[in-house]
Amino acid sequence: MTVCTDGSRLYAFKRNVIIQTIALLNILFTKEFLRAAFGWQKMAILTSEVIFMIGTTIYIISIYTLLKQFTQNRFILNTILVSFALAFSVGCIIQNPFFLVQLEGKKYYHLLVQTCFSTGTFTVIFYTIKEIFDDDTTQTERLWGAACVYFMIAWAFGGIYDVIGVLDSNAFGNAPEIGTTLTYIEATAYSMSVLGNFNQIYEKVSPLMARVAVIEAVWAHLFVVLVVGRLLSK
């Protein structure tokens, strides 16, 4: 059941699109720009990681706030809140850019983080899709909602690629920073290249990574087709 007030749904969609755009631009642009412009190496990595952590915090808060507009189910809301809180807390410990934490079975902590984060993101995607296909949703809200979902697909599949990259150190081919705290940043950048149907950032990926990329591309294109069909049907 929709719990939006007049105008709040459109504002929420716009807010999330803007936040995700800024966060994804940082992922794709900041590190390489600092390297190219100033020749920075460690500083470029540290800067992009710090901005990423800040952006991720804002993003999580934003999409959870979006979910609260679309459902009043306390079980769903509390489950997603716990999932995001657990993912963020553990992620900050194991991927802190300022100090390296040595943990036994660290890859399983990565798996926990991305399982929780992806569960939350896919849940928000589900409720957002339901909302933008609702008869009461305006055309403008549908367009902004579709853009919001489109970007969230990149985040969700970025988590899946991150898990593959953690479990298989060769999954990204010769990616120089995979295995460091930049794993998820690089995984999300790869996800964006798949989503945008551009030349993929990493070409020599593992067969599993390539097959997940096909699933992401098909899902994204199907979503676009459905949205266009819904817009034309009104």
Side-chain angles (χ1 to χ4, degrees):
M1 180 179 67
T2 299
V3 293
C4 300
T5 58
D6 290 342
S8 63
R9 180 166 48 197
L10 179 59
Y11 171 77
F13 285 149
K14 288 182 177 180
R15 181 190 63 219
N16 277 274
V17 169
I18 292 171
I19 290 172
Q20 291 185 89
T21 299
I22 295 172
L24 291 170
L25 282 175
N26 169 60
I27 290 173
L28 293 169
F29 182 71
T30 301
K31 174 167 60 69
E32 298 305 328
F33 172 77
L34 292 177
R35 282 174 169 173
F38 305 104
W40 296 347
Q41 296 298 324
K42 291 184 178 180
M43 182 58 70
I45 293 174
L46 178 62
T47 301
S48 64
E49 286 181 312
V50 171
I51 296 175
F52 175 75
M53 291 181 69
I54 295 172
T56 300
T57 304
I58 297 172
Y59 168 71
I60 289 175
I61 295 172
S62 181
I63 64 171
Y64 179 73
T65 303
L66 181 68
L67 178 64
K68 288 174 65 177
Q69 295 197 39
F70 300 153
T71 179
Q72 292 178 314
N73 188 314
R74 297 312 306 174
F75 175 76
I76 295 293
L77 291 174
N78 291 335
T79 300
I80 300 308
L81 179 61
V82 171
S83 295
F84 280 148
L86 185 61
F88 183 75
S89 300
V90 176
C92 285
I93 294 173
I94 66 174
Q95 293 187 318
N96 194 299
F98 297 103
F99 59 87
L100 181 63
V101 178
Q102 299 293 343
L103 293 171
E104 290 293 332
K106 191 173 181 179
K107 65 181 181 181
Y108 297 108
Y109 289 95
H110 279 276
L111 181 61
L112 172 65
V113 169
Q114 292 305 343
T115 298
C116 291
F117 183 73
S118 294
T119 297
T121 303
F122 278 115
T123 301
V124 178
I125 288 174
F126 171 76
Y127 278 96
T128 306
I129 289 176
K130 284 183 61 178
E131 197 67 21
I132 64 179
F133 280 88
D134 189 87
D135 289 336
D136 294 332
T137 305
T138 67
Q139 297 285 56
T140 303
E141 288 173 337
R142 244 178 227 120
L143 289 171
W144 281 97
C148 184
V149 170
Y150 196 72
F151 282 136
M152 281 194 286
I153 290 173
W155 289 96
F157 276 89
I160 296 174
Y161 297 133
D162 183 31
V163 170
I164 297 173
V166 169
L167 297 178
D168 178 6
S169 59
N170 296 317
F172 283 88
N174 298 321
E177 277 107 17
I178 295 303
T180 71
T181 55
L182 283 173
T183 306
Y184 183 48
I185 296 178
E186 297 300 324
T188 307
Y190 176 78
S191 180
M192 280 297 296
S193 69
V194 172
L195 189 65
N197 200 28
F198 302 119
N199 291 330
Q200 296 177 8
I201 294 177
Y202 303 116
E203 296 181 353
K204 297 180 179 179
V205 298
S206 68
L208 176 59
M209 188 80 74
R211 282 163 174 74
V212 174
V214 172
I215 295 173
E216 179 184 8
V218 170
W219 188 20
H221 284 100
L222 177 61
F223 172 70
V224 171
V225 169
L226 292 174
V227 170
V228 171
R230 187 69 177 88
L231 291 170
L232 293 178
S233 68
K234 298 296 289 184

